[in-house]
Amino acid sequence: MLVRIDEAMTGPGSQVVTRGQLVRDFRRLGVMAGQTLLVHASLRSFGWVRGGADTVVGALRQALGPRGNIVVPASTETNSLTSRKHRERIAQMTAKQANRYYDEMPAFDRDTTKSGAGAIAETVRKSSGAFRSDHPQSSFAAIGPAAEYLMADHRLESHLGEHSPLAKLYRMDARVLMIGVGYRSCTAFHLAEYRYRPELAEQTYSCVVNIAGRRQWKYYRDVVLDDREFEDIGKALDIELAIEAGRVGDADCRLISLSNAVDFAVKWMAEYRDGKNSPAPTFSSFLLNYPAVGAGRERSRSPVGSSALRSHPLSYPRPGGYLPLRQSRPWLILVKGIYVRCLWGA
């Protein structure tokens, strides 16, 4: 479950967020010297940071010390004919415009192509001593003593799988640091998509690359990736595992063991993906979320007041889905080993 540790951290509405404040907040959140972090971050979520993304990256490096490593997605999802971002970009184009765009799509160059994952990721990519993996769609960038090792040998046919930096981060027991973003941004869950069953659906991917100064299209097969369930997985993860959460500047943050997150997602996908089952609310989620009723309003029983936890349905399982229960004067009883919320009165 979420462990909230933000009492002494920078509160919301701060006028200016400084590097010193960020370092203190990162350390209170649980960032420790020598860790390896996979960082997903929204710069805007911090509030007004003096010095912008450079300050955030500098604060992370200071909190981690010289033995720590920072890894960020440096993906270029528009370099594709199948990605969601590519489809959004051409959605309003005519066929002629789409063909012209296809002919002029810029080729991926590991040294010069900008990261599509935001200002903080781009700052890491451009940092002195940074390394970037060589995948034209799903690259990562890293700084720190293990950066070169982590970014090496990222195979074309392994976007986010066993031959990507994610698998190395898993083995290193890295941490995922999510700053002002939701679980749909959690690339670690994609590694679970390569592991949750032995036979995996694949599709053909395409990208344009720069080879010896020439623009060329590459086509390859890889696992079908789908992040639409990641928020559901994240909600369950918040409840079932110990996760450190708090504010850094004005940003809501989570610090999670990457290997634990991947292992949890593997089990979740194996049980609920491909139409096998519908995710059932656990007893712990039930207790965290049933409302205390009084004076005509409800308040969350969650110790962290998390909107993610409050969004869980108060319901009981039935064939084909879950039937919502009325939120009125609840009682809990045990029937055949299952806790059921009973109602009385209006």
Side-chain angles (χ1 to χ4, degrees):
M1 62 190 301
L2 282 168
V3 180
R4 197 83 190 182
I5 47 178
D6 59 354
E7 290 82 357
M9 303 167 88
T10 307
S14 303
Q15 294 299 310
V16 180
V17 180
T18 66
R19 175 168 170 160
Q21 289 172 320
L22 291 176
V23 172
R24 289 193 296 273
D25 286 356
F26 282 133
R27 286 174 174 163
R28 291 191 182 108
L29 183 66
V31 173
M32 295 186 292
Q35 284 181 330
T36 295
L37 298 180
L38 173 58
V39 180
H40 300 279
S42 162
L43 179 60
R44 181 181 300 177
S45 69
F46 286 101
W48 179 22
V49 179
R50 182 177 294 154
D54 288 330
T55 297
V56 175
V57 174
L60 277 170
R61 298 186 81 165
Q62 184 175 338
L64 290 169
R67 296 183 295 108
N69 301 285
I70 301 172
V71 181
V72 293
S75 54
T76 46
E77 292 181 53
T78 55
N79 185 11
S80 167
L81 298 181
T82 55
S83 72
R84 182 170 57 243
K85 287 190 176 181
H86 175 79
R87 293 195 301 268
E88 290 172 354
R89 180 162 289 190
I90 67 170
Q92 303 303 318
M93 293 183 183
T94 65
K96 183 177 180 179
Q97 289 171 330
N99 287 334
R100 181 177 178 181
Y101 176 72
Y102 171 85
D103 291 337
E104 297 176 352
M105 281 174 61
F108 174 79
D109 186 295
R110 181 173 61 179
D111 297 326
T112 61
T113 299
K114 291 183 178 180
S115 165
I120 291 171
E122 177 65 3
T123 297
V124 171
R125 184 193 73 83
K126 293 166 57 179
S127 295
S128 176
F131 290 85
R132 186 183 195 175
S133 70
D134 202 23
H135 201 284
Q137 292 175 335
S138 302
S139 66
F140 291 80
I143 48 179
E148 184 175 11
Y149 159 75
L150 287 167
M151 297 299 103
D153 304 318
H154 190 172
R155 295 186 188 176
L156 183 64
E157 67 278 8
S158 184
H159 278 273
L160 300 163
E162 303 301 338
H163 300 285
S164 76
L166 285 179
K168 295 177 183 178
L169 292 168
Y170 179 95
R171 294 192 294 269
M172 289 180 66
D173 195 27
R175 297 292 185 269
V176 179
L177 175 58
M178 301 175 64
I179 304 172
V181 298
Y183 276 107
R184 195 161 188 174
S185 299
C186 185
T187 55
F189 287 162
H190 283 299
L191 182 58
E193 294 188 283
Y194 290 77
R195 297 181 173 184
Y196 80 99
R197 65 178 187 177
E199 299 295 330
L200 299 167
E202 292 187 347
Q203 72 176 53
T204 300
Y205 292 89
S206 56
C207 58
V208 60
V209 297
N210 188 338
I211 300 177
R214 298 184 59 186
R215 182 176 174 277
Q216 297 184 27
W217 280 91
K218 289 276 189 178
Y219 301 89
Y220 59 98
R221 301 282 293 176
D222 195 10
V223 170
V224 175
L225 301 174
D226 186 354
D227 61 9
R228 289 176 296 177
E229 298 166 327
F230 284 10
E231 289 294 339
D232 292 332
I233 297 172
K235 289 176 183 179
L237 184 70
D238 279 345
I239 294 166
E240 299 299 330
L241 298 185
I243 295 170
E244 294 162 309
R247 283 188 180 271
V248 175
D250 288 347
D252 287 319
C253 301
R254 286 176 171 85
L255 186 64
I256 312 165
S257 163
L258 187 145
S259 60
N260 287 348
V262 172
D263 291 345
F264 182 88
V266 167
K267 293 177 182 178
W268 193 99
M269 291 177 188
E271 186 169 358
Y272 299 122
R273 260 203 179 181
D274 308 320
K276 291 180 181 179
N277 296 292
S278 296
T282 64
F283 180 53
S284 57
S285 70
F286 187 85
L287 290 180
L288 283 171
N289 291 284
Y290 84 88
V293 180
R297 68 177 186 275
E298 301 171 4
R299 66 180 186 275
S300 171
R301 285 290 299 273
S302 164
V304 298
S306 164
S307 60
L309 296 183
R310 289 197 302 270
S311 67
H312 274 264
L314 296 169
S315 57
Y316 67 87
R318 65 182 175 118
Y322 293 91
L323 183 65
L325 290 170
R326 296 170 58 199
Q327 298 183 359
S328 170
R329 298 188 187 181
W331 292 75
L332 293 175
I333 62 173
L334 184 65
V335 179
K336 294 185 178 179
I338 301 174
Y339 281 92
V340 179
R341 197 178 72 152
C342 296
L343 306 171
W344 63 278

